[in-house]
Amino acid sequence: MKGSKARSVLPGFGLSMGFTVFYLCVLVLIPLAGLVVKTTGLTWEQFWNTVTSGRVLASYRISFLTAFFAALINLAFGLLVAWVLVRYRFPGKKLIDSLVDLPFALPTAVAGIALTAIYAPNGWIGSLLDPLGIKIAFTPLGITIALIFIGLPFVVRTVQPVLQDFERETEEAAVMLGAYRWRTFRRVILPELVPALLTGFALAFARGLGEYGSVVFISGNMPLKTEITPLLIMTKLEQYDYSGATAIALVMLLASFLMLLFINYLQWRSNRRAIAD
Amino acid sequence: MAGAVTAHLSDSASVRPKHVTEKPIVRWLLTGIALLFLGFVVLLPLVAVFVEAFQQGVNLYWASITDPDAVAALKLTLITALISVPLNTVFGIAAAWAITKFRFRGKNFLITLIDLPFSISPVISGLIFVLLFGAQGWFGPWLDSHDIQILFALPGIVLATTFVTFPFVARELIPLMQAQGVQEEEAAASLGAKGWQIFFRVTLPNIKWGLLYGIILCNARAMGEFGAVSVVSGHIRGETNTLPLHVEILYNEYQFSASFAVASLLVFLALITLGVKSFVEWKSAQRAKGGEANGTAS
Amino acid sequence: MSNMTKKFSFRSLLVFTAFGLALAGCGGGGNNGTNNAGGTNAAGNAANAAAGNESAPKPAVELLNVSYDPTRELYDAYNKLFIDYWKTEHNQDVTIKQSHGGSGKQSRAVIDGIKADVVTLALGYDIDAIAEKGLVNEDWQQKFENNSSPYTSTIVFLVRKGNPKGIKDWGDLVKDDVSVITPNPKTSGGARWNYLAAWGYALKQSGGDEQKAQAFVGDLFKNVPVLDSGARGSTTTFVERGIGDVLLAWENEAYLSVNELGKDKFEIVYPSISILAEPPVAVVDKVVDDKGTREVAEGYLDFLYTEEAQKVIAENYYRPQLTSVAEQYKDRFPELELLTIDNDFGGWKEAQTKHFADGGIFDQIYTPGS
């Protein structure tokens, strides 16, 4: 397989690329440019003071850590769920499959309310854990749970199609070569899944960073402890401080952009390696 | 809906020969863990929604979902989804084609730009349109003098929704088409097939499930989006309230049961989309029954 | 409304044709028709109002009232009253659209271009912000009686039945074993009143020592386990989640919680001193002049001061301004010492900068390491 040949053989590059770039510009780049321009209303010093004040720094830490752990858990369990859904048969599978999309369909505010109702100290699960001294709602743990809920479909739904189209022949070849099941998985299946897994992780993580609707209900919003960055942006807006709000937004934007870029690079590399093999 | 579909689900993936699957005990263990996880993370909140929705009886449930404001919200939600989803689908296919079938500089950069709306806080997604189209924004005065209302009306809601659901289809297709490579298209091209022919005859059948997933995710998110729409909607009852916003309003009026009833409506909408997906799958499985043997290999 | 509805239905129409969708399955119907009718009628009304014709029935008109969260029930009732009154007095049909949300958020929506005919918000500060952009005339606070505040309210304590922690006054809120629920003053208008009432109490206790007052509110907020972003979020935390011993709430919200969510579960405690909250109203001059709805918009706000309306106001647990009505409902609203924003805090602008702006006194409570 020589990718370089593709350029000359397949048609439609101009059309698809042109449309992609145009649509991207109109819908994403121009609006985002507005954000950047708005921030330039601040002097560099004002900008720096806004985005590095103590409360804001604490909120970055909370947002990044909770989003990261939630994405990590989703990576493991999302793969497992996708695997089970694609490969095994059990009663009610179709229904379970539909359930995975629920976090998309449920408005985030509803999700937040429902999760809080379950994990609050007087809720279904919260009341069981409370006597043990475990608090979930109104702690970073609660935020993580909300983000696991929000991010799960990202991992499952990116891995699932790849797993579904996975060619049995490759696997069979490995078996014929005498590889054990676990080994087959690690050596043959997993590498193929890496791009999809990375994408799923990145999306779940990035989504978690920005999530607002569901988190505000379950987090308790305590400054320095459970105050997430998007809430601080809202706080600024509430005081008519558009520049301050966009400054923090810009920082978050840059952070997730760099992270996504890094992961896309990794993915591209792993893909290249696969092709080279 | 599910009953009719489960029967056909025994597609090639589920019934695997013994040598390419795990021992039964491992299978059951993995399934058990997966189900337990889903139960805690997804099913429990869903149950909570329905329990709350029916807490005060079926009559109240019915009354809340047939309330004129709820019906207006439902309509607005559907209209919004009907505009943004097709737009993003066309974009997704074009972007995935350009990115996976050709090599060019800055590909990672482009993919990352496409991902960007995911990583932007919904609050910000709404805000950027306020900065552009608000009365104090860039185009505000011009729009005002031409009597065009974008914010706090349908166009604003559609824009915000389209922005938020922008990457779904593209993101679903890119890894899939990347894994599939370009040989089949190249083969078709070398046999003299035209561009659209290649796409419809070769590529589309290969990516249809991924595409369908993408559309469904895009649609589900379009109907459920809250944060961004909340910023640009203006919350005018019966006019610019989408279903998720209506849920919040009811909740804030202490009408907890009514609010969860409307929320369950959104769940039903999602289930309907999934039903459609299952139906399409089933249909195509029926049609492909004859040529199943060579179906996966080609 | 005319521009907006016209645009709205035009766009919807465009959408329908563009995608060839009949939308038959979407349920309901006729909404589009109504919108269209509203659009043309409102335009007609503009011409009519200019002519000043009283005898013939005037074409229907539509108002948009952009308000804050706790007034939902009040305006639901009041709108019905006003529509009847306007129909009999002026022979004109009025439909009133409502929009509710956090006061600051609503004010921003007006600034950003929502076509509100009238605004009825939680604090004068939020209307000042609109006036600053020239949408409302600078002298809005003089346009209607009582500083343009047709009703007032105050901050009270909601405690669990029997008041197990024995909470009587602000001083009890800083005790170690008391947990207090209030929304975040940075994001909620109501919470700013809570905060200022506590500040005022502490200032009075210490004979005007600001240092002590700051320490007091600091101690108070250390007892807050959850800072919701809005007033209703806090009520839910307190009532539904069972967190906290006392909820600081608007008087009308406290009554609403008791009535709607359990008379046998909560009771209201009046502290020795609280703050006089004056939620103001204003006509959005730019919008009503564009739309030609000034007459009915001003009529809408004027009517709030009539006896009938003041009764509705009192029924919804807002304190009426009219003495006769206040007399009638005096059992409902116990007298207590009330601080005012203008006399005790030098107006909203000053209070805002001093306490709630970034780096203000409230932020200092939550400085890292403190």
Side-chain angles (χ1 to χ4, degrees):
Chain A
M1 187 201 298
K2 288 203 185 83
S4 53
K5 257 190 184 171
R7 196 168 22 184
S8 53
V9 179
L10 287 182
F13 181 71
L15 179 69
S16 59
M17 192 65 187
F19 180 71
T20 302
V21 170
F22 168 76
Y23 193 78
L24 194 68
C25 280
V26 170
L27 210 63
V28 177
L29 294 185
I30 295 180
L32 286 182
L35 189 73
V36 178
V37 170
K38 190 81 197 174
T39 322
T40 55
L42 295 173
T43 67
W44 175 245
E45 203 185 331
Q46 283 171 321
F47 176 82
W48 190 247
N49 286 340
T50 308
V51 300
T52 57
S53 74
R55 287 265 292 281
V56 179
L57 287 180
S59 81
Y60 295 147
R61 203 183 60 236
I62 292 154
S63 280
F64 273 87
L65 283 181
T66 52
F68 181 77
F69 282 116
L72 214 57
I73 291 168
N74 273 331
L75 186 69
F77 283 94
L79 173 61
L80 178 65
V81 169
W83 180 272
V84 167
L85 283 177
V86 169
R87 304 214 151 196
Y88 302 154
R89 267 207 296 176
F90 52 91
K93 174 170 144 171
K94 201 74 202 172
L95 211 65
I96 304 285
D97 188 44
S98 327
L99 262 187
V100 174
D101 285 329
L102 190 79
F104 280 136
L106 212 57
T108 50
V110 179
I113 294 163
L115 286 170
T116 316
I118 294 168
Y119 291 104
N122 66 351
W124 295 351
I125 294 186
S127 61
L128 300 178
L129 295 176
D130 202 43
L132 306 175
I134 304 172
K135 293 206 186 322
I136 295 183
F138 316 119
T139 67
L141 201 60
I143 305 179
T144 313
I145 286 189
L147 296 182
I148 292 175
F149 176 83
I150 296 294
L152 176 71
F154 283 100
V155 179
V156 179
R157 291 307 189 218
T158 27
V159 174
Q160 214 173 7
V162 179
L163 210 52
Q164 208 143 41
D165 291 352
F166 198 76
E167 302 201 13
R168 203 196 290 166
E169 286 78 2
T170 332
E171 233 179 302
E172 274 173 344
V175 174
M176 269 182 264
L177 292 172
Y180 289 107
R181 204 56 206 139
W182 173 241
R183 222 178 129 89
T184 319
F185 175 76
R186 249 184 40 216
R187 289 291 173 82
V188 181
I189 303 175
L190 202 57
E192 284 277 329
L193 289 180
V194 163
L197 277 174
L198 275 176
T199 306
F201 176 83
L203 296 183
F205 180 67
R207 178 84 167 83
L209 270 187
E211 178 54 24
Y212 176 76
S214 63
V215 175
V216 284
F217 288 97
I218 203 169
S219 75
N221 308 323
M222 293 309 291
L224 306 177
K225 283 187 215 132
T226 56
E227 193 176 47
I228 53 165
T229 314
L231 180 72
L232 276 180
I233 297 175
M234 274 313 248
T235 310
K236 298 259 181 223
L237 285 178
E238 219 54 45
Q239 300 163 60
Y240 309 104
D241 182 6
Y242 281 65
S243 324
T246 47
I248 299 179
L250 195 67
V251 171
M252 286 193 79
L253 189 67
L254 276 177
S256 18
F257 179 76
L258 289 178
M259 190 202 63
L260 288 175
L261 195 66
F262 178 65
I263 288 196
N264 281 327
Y265 170 73
L266 280 187
Q267 193 184 325
W268 171 77
R269 263 202 15 186
S270 76
N271 221 43
R272 279 256 297 215
R273 220 176 7 232
I275 290 170
D277 288 346
Chain B
M1 157 210 112
V5 184
T6 345
H8 103 281
L9 203 86
S10 48
D11 53 48
S12 58
S14 311
V15 205
R16 306 179 66 82
K18 274 215 181 72
H19 62 281
V20 278
T21 190
E22 291 76 33
K23 288 196 204 96
I25 179 137
V26 178
R27 282 211 306 266
W28 287 117
L29 201 66
L30 290 179
T31 313
I33 297 173
L35 290 186
L36 204 66
F37 176 77
L38 281 178
F40 267 99
V41 171
V42 182
L43 192 61
L44 211 56
L46 181 70
V47 172
V49 168
F50 278 94
V51 167
E52 296 276 346
F54 284 105
Q55 207 156 44
Q56 291 177 27
V58 180
N59 287 338
L60 188 98
Y61 181 87
W62 186 246
S64 10
I65 59 173
T66 49
D67 179 78
D69 286 343
V71 173
L74 175 64
K75 265 169 112 178
L76 181 63
T77 300
L78 289 174
I79 292 172
T80 310
L82 279 170
I83 303 172
S84 359
V85 175
L87 279 177
N88 283 337
T89 304
V90 173
F91 163 76
I93 294 172
W97 180 269
I99 285 168
T100 58
K101 304 294 177 197
F102 305 96
R103 315 181 99 198
F104 54 89
R105 257 168 214 280
K107 188 184 272 189
N108 286 313
F109 189 71
L110 185 66
I111 298 179
T112 309
L113 280 182
I114 292 174
D115 282 343
L116 211 48
F118 271 145
S119 63
I120 295 177
S121 180
V123 176
I124 299 300
S125 319
L127 179 67
I128 53 176
F129 291 105
V130 172
L131 292 179
L132 282 188
F133 301 116
Q136 319 293 324
W138 282 1
F139 304 121
W142 186 86
L143 289 170
D144 198 42
S145 63
H146 288 76
D147 260 354
I148 300 173
Q149 186 83 25
I150 288 192
L151 285 187
F152 314 116
L154 183 67
I157 295 172
V158 170
L159 270 176
T161 307
T162 314
F163 180 87
V164 170
T165 56
F166 180 82
F168 276 90
V169 178
R171 224 40 193 102
E172 201 62 43
L173 289 181
I174 291 171
L176 182 62
M177 284 166 74
Q178 216 156 23
Q180 283 173 350
V182 292
Q183 314 102 299
E184 290 184 31
E185 281 83 1
E186 280 177 342
S190 67
L191 292 173
K194 298 254 164 37
W196 290 111
Q197 266 178 322
I198 297 177
F199 175 73
F200 281 110
R201 296 283 176 78
V202 180
T203 313
L204 196 59
N206 273 340
I207 60 165
K208 64 184 173 209
W209 299 132
L211 181 63
L212 206 59
Y213 272 134
I215 294 175
I216 283 164
L217 295 193
C218 185
N219 184 54
R221 186 89 163 81
M223 293 194 297
E225 176 52 28
F226 171 79
V229 172
S230 161
V231 178
V232 297
S233 119
H235 303 93
I236 306 170
R237 274 201 118 154
E239 202 165 299
T240 62
N241 266 335
T242 61
L243 272 188
L245 298 181
H246 193 61
V247 171
E248 192 215 13
I249 284 182
L250 290 173
Y251 190 81
N252 277 340
E253 286 174 359
Y254 304 130
Q255 304 186 37
F256 299 125
S257 294
S259 127
F260 280 106
V262 177
S264 72
L265 210 60
L266 277 160
V267 177
F268 281 129
L269 276 181
L271 290 181
I272 289 171
T273 0
L274 292 167
V276 171
K277 178 195 111 184
S278 307
F279 179 75
V280 175
E281 262 176 38
W282 175 72
K283 260 277 199 253
S284 77
Q286 288 245 311
R287 209 176 303 143
K289 222 164 212 170
E292 199 165 60
N294 56 6
T296 40
S298 70
Chain C
M1 202 77 260
S2 72
N3 299 334
M4 181 161 168
T5 39
K6 250 188 210 157
K7 210 67 223 169
F8 185 77
S9 38
F10 171 68
R11 292 276 163 158
S12 341
L13 208 72
L14 213 118
V15 169
F16 288 139
T17 37
F19 289 95
L21 289 162
L23 269 186
C26 295
N31 199 37
N32 241 10
T34 344
N35 276 348
N36 265 332
T40 38
N41 284 341
N45 179 61
N48 227 9
N53 194 343
E54 288 290 326
S55 56
K58 287 189 214 165
V61 66
E62 193 176 88
L63 283 186
L64 175 60
N65 177 4
V66 169
S67 193
Y68 64 115
D69 262 327
T71 60
R72 290 165 203 268
E73 293 77 13
L74 167 64
Y75 280 107
D76 239 22
Y78 172 73
N79 286 349
K80 291 194 188 91
L81 192 71
F82 175 75
I83 288 168
D84 287 344
Y85 154 81
W86 197 259
K87 178 77 185 161
T88 37
E89 287 293 306
H90 297 261
N91 199 12
Q92 183 179 29
D93 288 316
V94 190
T95 37
I96 297 158
K97 296 254 175 196
Q98 284 291 146
S99 165
H100 293 275
S103 189
K105 187 175 177 183
Q106 294 294 76
S107 156
R108 251 187 306 120
V110 175
I111 291 171
D112 286 326
I114 195 169
K115 301 285 184 225
D117 300 85
V118 295
V119 283
T120 51
L121 297 178
L123 342 158
Y125 180 74
D126 289 326
I127 299 185
D128 278 334
I130 301 173
E132 236 165 67
K133 302 287 175 191
L135 296 170
V136 172
N137 293 340
E138 290 289 344
D139 61 346
W140 65 269
Q141 201 133 30
Q142 275 76 57
K143 276 193 84 167
F144 299 93
E145 282 168 60
N146 309 101
N147 276 336
S148 288
S149 299
Y151 39 80
T152 64
S153 192
T154 187
I155 298 298
V156 300
F157 301 164
L158 191 68
V159 296
R160 304 202 183 272
K161 193 75 190 175
N163 198 354
K165 293 275 169 92
I167 294 159
K168 294 267 158 11
D169 206 351
W170 294 98
D172 297 321
L173 302 186
V174 294
K175 287 182 183 159
D176 284 342
D177 63 336
V178 172
S179 145
V180 183
I181 302 294
T182 168
N184 187 346
K186 302 275 268 193
T187 51
S188 154
R192 280 176 219 164
W193 294 107
N194 295 347
Y195 170 97
L196 289 177
W199 177 271
Y201 165 86
L203 211 56
K204 194 139 192 158
Q205 287 289 313
S206 63
D209 186 340
E210 292 222 341
Q211 217 83 49
K212 287 210 173 112
Q214 189 168 344
F216 179 82
V217 291
D219 286 342
L220 197 160
F221 274 90
K222 289 213 172 68
N223 281 348
V224 177
V226 174
L227 267 184
D228 283 289
S229 58
R232 295 229 155 161
S234 282
T235 311
T236 313
T237 301
F238 183 74
V239 170
E240 294 277 297
R241 311 273 168 259
I243 294 176
D245 302 307
V246 52
L247 171 74
L248 308 184
W250 294 95
E251 187 177 37
N252 61 303
E253 286 282 287
Y255 273 107
L256 200 68
S257 317
V258 170
N259 290 345
E260 297 250 321
L261 305 167
K263 276 197 169 65
D264 47 342
K265 288 194 223 144
F266 308 102
E267 52 189 72
I268 293 171
V269 172
Y270 280 87
S272 65
I273 185 171
S274 192
I275 192 161
L276 179 71
E278 297 173 293
V281 300
V283 167
V284 184
D285 296 282
K286 184 168 179 291
V287 174
V288 294
D289 288 343
D290 283 354
K291 280 163 65 178
T293 48
R294 179 175 283 281
E295 188 195 356
V296 56
E298 283 175 352
Y300 180 77
L301 295 185
D302 266 333
F303 189 65
L304 277 168
Y305 291 89
T306 61
E307 190 166 345
E308 290 170 84
Q310 292 277 306
K311 274 184 188 159
V312 170
I313 285 166
E315 285 295 328
N316 282 284
Y317 304 103
Y318 281 89
R319 296 190 168 210
Q321 294 276 23
L322 210 62
T323 337
S324 59
V325 180
E327 193 62 31
Q328 202 181 328
Y329 287 89
K330 70 168 189 254
D331 295 345
R332 188 171 273 196
F333 305 112
E335 296 246 344
L336 70 162
E337 191 187 346
L338 294 175
L339 304 164
T340 66
I341 273 292
D342 289 330
N343 295 338
D344 300 283
F345 297 94
W348 263 116
K349 221 160 232 154
E350 200 182 315
Q352 180 75 24
T353 349
K354 181 167 168 187
H355 294 277
F356 308 119
D358 280 353
I361 293 175
F362 179 74
D363 272 355
Q364 288 164 28
I365 296 174
Y366 289 108
T367 307
S370 81

